[in-house]
Amino acid sequence: MAKIKSLEDLMKIKDDAVKNLKLRETGKRGKIVVAMGTCGIAAGAKDTFKAVVEELSDKDIDDISVVQSGCFGLCDAEPTIEVKLEGSEPIVYGHVTPEQAKRIINQHIVNGKVVGDLIIKRGEL
Amino acid sequence: MLKPITILVSVDSNSALLGARHYKNYLSQLVKKYNLDSITDVLETGSFGNYGEGVLISILPENIHYSVKSEKDIELIVQEYLLKGRRVPSLVVEKIEKEETEEKKKNVEERVVLRNAGEIDPKNINEYIAKDGYQALAKVLNEERIEVINKVKESGLRGRGGAGFPTGMKWEFTYKVDNPEKYVICNADEGEPGTFKDRLIMEGDPHSVIEGMAIAAYAVGANKGYIYIRGEYFESISNLRKAIEQAYEYGLLGDNILDSGFNFDLSVRLGAGAYVCGEETALIESIEGKSGRPRLKPPYPPVSGLYGKPTVVNNVETYASVPPIIINGPDWFKVLGTSNSAGTKVFSLCGNLINKGIVEVKMGTTVSDLVYNFGGGIRDGKAIKMIQTGGAAGTFIKPEEMNTPLDFDSMKNYGISLGSGVILAINEDHCAVDVALNLMEFFEHESCGKCTPCREGTKVIVDILHKFSKGQGSEELFNSLYDIAETMEASAFCGLGQAVPIPLRSILDRFKDEFMAHVGVDEAPCGVCKFPKKKKKVH
Ligand SMILES: Cc1cc2nc3c(=O)[nH]c(=O)nc-3n(C[C@H](O)[C@H](O)[C@H](O)COP(=O)(O)O)c2cc1C
C-alpha cells in the first residue's frame, strides 16, 4: 500500500471505498431485479447482471439496488429484468442484452421514461 | 467489478463461540460453489448490539437480518435467498424498527461511538476511511495543539471509564508539562464485571480508538502510545493488531504522519486479568513490567505516569468519541447529552433481561428506558427485584427508583452511579444477602493486598455476609458492615478499596429487611441461602 501523504490522498481512498459501502445502503429509490434462473443464465443473464452493476456505477447511481431472483416464469423472454421504482408500477423487460440493459438504465432510471419496445409486462409479477 | 450484494456476518466474542466464523467460511464456500462470488461479498463485521441465540447476519441492501444456528440454515439462505430471491421467514429476526412514531422513538439509539460497529469490516481500513475515518486526524495535524485541546474541552467530553474526569482538562495538564517524552495509554482492561462495551467497540471499530489516540498524542505532544488490554480479549487484540498494522502501512502511524512532521508509534500490551490493573497507576506499573499495584497519587499520570513521564490514560470509549467531535465540532457533541454530561454513553445490558447486549444512548437516559425499552424487560415473566447500575463498584437500586436519568450527576443528585455504564437486572428469584456476598467475594479476591483496609476489610465483610447466609447474622453484625465501609472509604489506598462501600451500603440501605429475615430463623427465607441443619437433640 502506498503511504497516505495528504488529505487529498485520504479522500481518494475514501471515494473508492465509498462506492462499495454505498451498495450496502438500505432505503433506496428503487431496485433492479435480474432473473437468474437456469433459463436466464443460459440466455446470458450473468452478463446482463454485470452490465447493470457496471452501468450504475459508471453513472454514479447509488440509490438503486441490484438483486437477483429466480425465474420470473417468462422463460421465452430471457434474460428478463424488473425495474421497481418507488411510487411507480414495476416494469418487466425481456430479451435484455448488456446493451439493452444500459439503455434501460439511461432511459428509465436516469430519465424516468420506460423503454417501450422492451416491455413485456407491467405491474406486479 | 463492484459486488451489489453484501452479506455481513456479525463476529464478536459472543457469536464466535456460537460458530460465527465457521458459518462465515461456509457461506463463502457456498457462494463460490454457486458461482455467486462475483456479485456477492461475504464479510465479517462487529456486533449489531444485541445478543441473539444464533449468529446474526445481515444481507444488504435488502437489510434483512437472519439468525443462523446451523449449516442447514446457511444452505437455506443461499438456496432460497441468493439463488431464488425469496426470503426465509423462519430465520428472519425482527429488528428494532427505527421508525419515527412517538412510541418507537424511545427505542432509537444515538450512535456516535458505535457509528461503524456492525456496518463495516473492522479488518479493512478502507471501510473505516469510507466512513470519514482519519479525516479528524488529518484535520488536527493542521491545527495548533492547544486548539485541539480546547475543542475537546468545549465539547464537554468526560472519561467513559468510570470516574468521569473531563478529558480536555486531562490533556491540558499533560500538554502543559514540559517534557520531550510523553505517553498516551488506552485503558482497555475492562475489568468491571458486566461491562463488555469496550470489547465490542474494539472488535467492531478498532480504527476509531487508534485515531482517537493519535489525536490525543498530537495534542499533548506524545510520540508513543500503548493499548493495555486484557489477555483474554482475543477478538479485540487481533482486530486491533491488524488495524495498527494497516495504519502503519498507510503511514497513519509511524514517522511523519501525513507529512506533518508528527511521529506516533502505537502498540498493544496484554494484561493478565487483574481487576486492579484497570486502575490507571496499577496499569502503568504493569506496562512497566512490574506487578500491577497502584501508586500513591498525587502525582497523577499527567505529571508523572509511565516511566515517570507525563501520560494521558483514557478509556476506549473516550478515545473513540474524539474523532466525531473533531469532525462535527464540540457543539454537536454537547447538545447530545445533559448540561453537565455531554454526548452519548454505551451501556452494557446484562442479567435477567430479555435483550442483552450493548446500546448507545444519549446521556440522561433513564434506567427504566434502558431496562424496558432497550432491554426488553425481565425474562420469563418474572418480577424485577433490583438493578445494579455502573458496574461492580456501582449502586444497587430498587425498581421504584428506575426513573432516574443516568449521567455524571446522577451520583450527586440521586446517589445512583453511572460508572462504566452497566445495567445489571436482577429478578425476584435472587436473594439480597447472596447477591451482596457474591459481589464482595469478587472484591476480596481482587483486592491486591497492598493496603490493610482493603485487604482485611473485604475479608471481614465476606465473613460477616457468610454468617448471614448461614443464618448466623445479627443486627449488630449488620451495623458493623457500615463501620467497615466507613473505614475503607476513608483509608483504602486506591479506588478499588474506596469504592467497595458504594455497592455495599446501597444494598444494605435498601434490603435491610431481607438481611434481617435471615436472622433468628431456622430456615433460609429466600430459597437461595442454605442454613446448616440444626443438630437434633439427643434424648
Ligand atoms: C479498581 C479500578 C478499576 C478500574 N478499571 C478500569 C477499567 O477497566 N477501564 C477503565 O477505562 N478505567 C478503569 N478504572 C478507572 C481508571 O483508573 C481511569 O480513571 C480511567 O482509565 C481514565 O480514563 P477516562 O478518563 O477516559 O475514563 C478503574 C479504576 C479503579 C479504581
Side-chain angles (χ1 to χ4, degrees):
Chain A
M1 276 192 269
K3 298 236 187 245
I4 299 174
K5 281 284 157 210
S6 62
L7 185 60
E8 290 71 53
D9 288 356
L10 185 69
M11 295 313 268
K12 241 181 254 153
I13 294 178
K14 178 183 167 179
D15 290 343
D16 269 352
V18 154
K19 281 194 183 153
N20 256 317
L21 292 194
K22 283 270 188 204
L23 290 169
R24 292 182 208 163
E25 273 175 14
T26 59
K28 306 205 178 206
R29 177 166 71 98
K31 68 177 170 184
I32 299 178
V33 186
V34 183
M36 299 271 264
T38 320
C39 44
I41 290 175
K46 277 206 168 150
D47 293 332
T48 305
F49 192 98
K50 201 165 160 231
V52 168
V53 174
E54 281 172 359
E55 187 67 12
L56 287 175
S57 122
D58 284 353
K59 294 269 144 62
D60 279 328
I61 300 170
D62 54 26
D63 56 354
I64 301 289
S65 62
V66 187
V67 292
Q68 59 167 345
S69 78
C71 171
F72 293 154
L74 303 163
C75 309
D76 55 328
E78 296 292 350
T80 48
I81 72 172
E82 184 187 19
V83 175
K84 290 174 147 173
L85 295 184
E86 196 104 330
S88 44
E89 70 174 350
I91 305 283
V92 180
Y93 295 109
H95 305 292
V96 184
T97 60
E99 283 314 304
Q100 303 290 24
K102 287 182 190 164
R103 234 182 97 208
I104 293 169
I105 286 169
N106 290 312
Q107 200 170 316
H108 190 162
I109 304 286
V110 178
N111 293 326
K113 288 193 207 105
V114 296
V115 185
D117 56 313
L118 295 176
I119 295 182
I120 51 170
K121 199 168 177 350
R122 286 173 185 269
E124 287 294 338
L125 276 165
Chain B
M1 173 174 143
L2 293 167
K3 302 185 182 182
I5 299 170
T6 306
I7 305 180
L8 296 176
V9 181
S10 171
V11 182
D12 57 41
S13 32
N14 190 57
S15 70
L17 297 177
L18 299 171
R21 206 153 264 133
H22 171 68
Y23 292 146
K24 187 225 150 194
N25 292 338
Y26 189 53
L27 196 52
S28 306
Q29 219 175 307
L30 290 185
V31 162
K32 255 216 173 80
K33 179 175 157 197
Y34 290 109
N35 257 326
L36 298 166
D37 50 330
S38 61
I39 58 167
T40 311
D41 251 335
V42 181
L43 300 174
E44 284 181 21
T45 189
S47 171
F48 294 150
N50 49 330
Y51 277 177
E53 317 241 296
V55 173
L56 295 175
I57 72 171
S58 135
I59 301 187
L60 298 163
E62 288 284 89
N63 201 21
I64 316 169
H65 279 55
Y66 287 121
S67 166
V68 172
K69 300 197 185 81
S70 67
E71 287 189 359
K72 276 233 152 50
D73 292 349
I74 298 277
E75 287 160 16
L76 209 59
I77 290 169
V78 172
Q79 277 157 11
E80 284 297 297
Y81 184 74
L82 290 184
L83 287 174
K84 303 194 189 123
R86 294 201 288 244
R87 289 193 182 202
V88 188
S90 60
L91 302 178
V92 171
V93 277
E94 290 299 323
K95 291 212 317 162
I96 298 177
E97 282 294 331
K98 301 200 167 157
E99 289 292 317
E100 289 298 295
T101 59
E102 270 311 306
E103 203 30 52
K104 284 182 171 161
K105 233 181 205 158
K106 286 188 159 173
N107 289 343
V108 178
E109 288 189 50
E110 185 73 46
R111 287 185 156 218
V112 174
V113 170
L114 297 176
R115 59 198 178 278
N116 299 325
E119 291 192 15
I120 63 167
D121 177 358
K123 292 197 174 67
N124 183 348
I125 189 172
N126 287 350
E127 298 208 351
Y128 180 67
I129 291 174
K131 296 276 192 173
D132 296 335
Y134 290 106
Q135 277 180 41
L137 177 62
K139 194 169 163 197
V140 300
L141 291 178
N142 286 321
E143 291 173 9
E144 294 294 322
R145 310 198 134 137
I146 195 69
E147 264 181 76
V148 181
I149 289 171
N150 284 337
K151 269 188 202 158
V152 175
K153 270 168 87 175
E154 275 165 42
S155 77
L157 176 64
R158 294 168 65 173
R160 265 44 175 168
F165 192 83
T167 305
M169 264 167 77
K170 189 183 278 187
W171 292 13
E172 189 175 22
F173 292 149
T174 315
Y175 163 85
K176 282 196 170 146
V177 182
D178 188 20
N179 198 315
E181 196 181 335
K182 296 181 189 177
Y183 295 95
V184 292
I185 293 175
C186 175
N187 188 342
D189 194 52
E190 195 159 58
E192 203 74 30
T195 320
F196 43 92
K197 49 134 190 139
D198 291 342
R199 170 160 84 182
L200 297 180
I201 295 167
M202 293 183 284
E203 286 173 6
D205 198 13
H207 285 286
S208 65
V209 182
I210 295 170
E211 187 180 5
M213 289 185 77
I215 292 168
Y218 172 75
V220 304
N223 300 115
K224 212 163 169 45
Y226 295 99
I227 301 175
Y228 185 86
I229 183 168
R230 50 183 43 225
E232 67 265 35
Y233 272 15
F234 305 116
E235 299 286 328
S236 305
I237 295 166
S238 87
N239 284 8
L240 275 171
R241 285 196 166 138
K242 177 95 199 166
I244 290 174
E245 191 187 307
Q246 292 175 341
Y248 267 106
E249 279 173 27
Y250 267 157
L252 297 165
L253 286 174
D255 288 343
N256 194 18
I257 295 170
L258 294 168
D259 237 356
S260 65
F262 168 59
N263 308 330
F264 182 53
D265 282 307
L266 181 61
S267 59
V268 172
R269 287 287 178 277
L270 305 188
Y275 179 57
V276 76
C277 283
E279 195 284 329
E280 55 191 9
T281 61
L283 183 155
I284 286 171
E285 289 276 302
S286 177
I287 294 182
E288 289 182 2
K290 304 176 195 147
S291 65
R293 296 287 179 272
R295 293 177 179 168
L296 188 66
K297 295 196 265 193
Y300 292 92
V303 174
S304 172
L306 188 61
Y307 306 114
K309 309 291 178 196
T311 303
V312 169
V313 182
N314 274 135
N315 173 258
V316 172
E317 189 185 345
T318 313
Y319 282 124
S321 305
V322 171
I325 290 175
I326 300 293
I327 290 190
N328 301 310
D331 291 335
W332 163 83
F333 190 73
K334 222 167 16 191
V335 298
L336 287 177
T338 55
S339 60
N340 265 327
S341 312
T344 57
K345 179 82 194 83
V346 182
F347 283 90
S348 313
L349 308 181
C350 60
N352 303 122
L353 292 172
I354 291 175
N355 306 328
K356 287 181 255 194
I358 51 170
V359 290
E360 180 171 3
V361 294
K362 286 182 184 156
M363 280 282 187
T365 299
T366 63
V367 179
S368 154
D369 272 345
L370 289 162
V371 167
Y372 292 107
N373 291 337
F374 295 99
I378 306 299
R379 229 164 231 274
D380 307 323
K382 303 262 181 190
I384 188 165
K385 178 174 205 158
M386 56 177 124
I387 305 106
Q388 190 180 22
T389 69
T395 44
F396 288 95
I397 65 169
K398 286 198 149 183
E400 52 267 32
E401 298 168 89
M402 281 203 294
N403 279 330
T404 315
L406 287 179
D407 61 17
F408 291 115
D409 289 337
S410 39
M411 192 69 194
K412 193 174 73 199
N413 295 342
Y414 308 97
I416 294 177
S417 332
L418 170 68
S420 53
V422 180
I423 295 292
L424 168 68
I426 297 174
N427 75 17
E428 57 189 339
D429 291 345
H430 293 84
C431 159
V433 174
D434 186 61
V435 169
L437 174 59
N438 201 300
L439 183 68
M440 291 300 138
E441 279 177 340
F442 166 76
F443 285 117
E444 183 197 20
H445 182 257
E446 294 295 343
S447 174
C448 77
K450 176 167 175 148
C451 75
T452 310
C454 180
R455 183 184 66 239
E456 301 302 322
T458 50
K459 183 164 174 2
V460 177
I461 292 169
V462 167
D463 286 347
I464 294 175
L465 292 173
H466 259 302
K467 286 200 170 128
F468 275 92
S469 78
K470 290 197 195 119
Q472 297 153 4
S474 68
E475 175 119 30
E476 201 188 337
L477 281 174
F478 186 84
N479 290 333
S480 70
L481 287 171
Y482 282 96
D483 295 338
I484 302 166
E486 197 182 324
T487 309
M488 286 183 70
E489 186 175 46
S491 60
F493 185 82
C494 84
L496 197 160
Q498 287 158 14
V500 170
I502 297 171
L504 182 63
R505 279 196 196 116
S506 68
I507 199 166
L508 295 179
D509 286 350
R510 287 167 177 83
F511 293 93
K512 180 170 184 184
D513 52 341
E514 244 181 71
F515 279 79
M516 287 306 142
H518 284 66
V519 176
V521 290
D522 290 341
E523 236 172 86
C526 55
V528 178
C529 300
K530 295 224 161 34
F531 290 2
K533 286 245 161 19
K534 286 252 155 65
K535 283 208 188 87
K536 288 216 179 85
K537 277 197 186 116
V538 186
H539 290 285

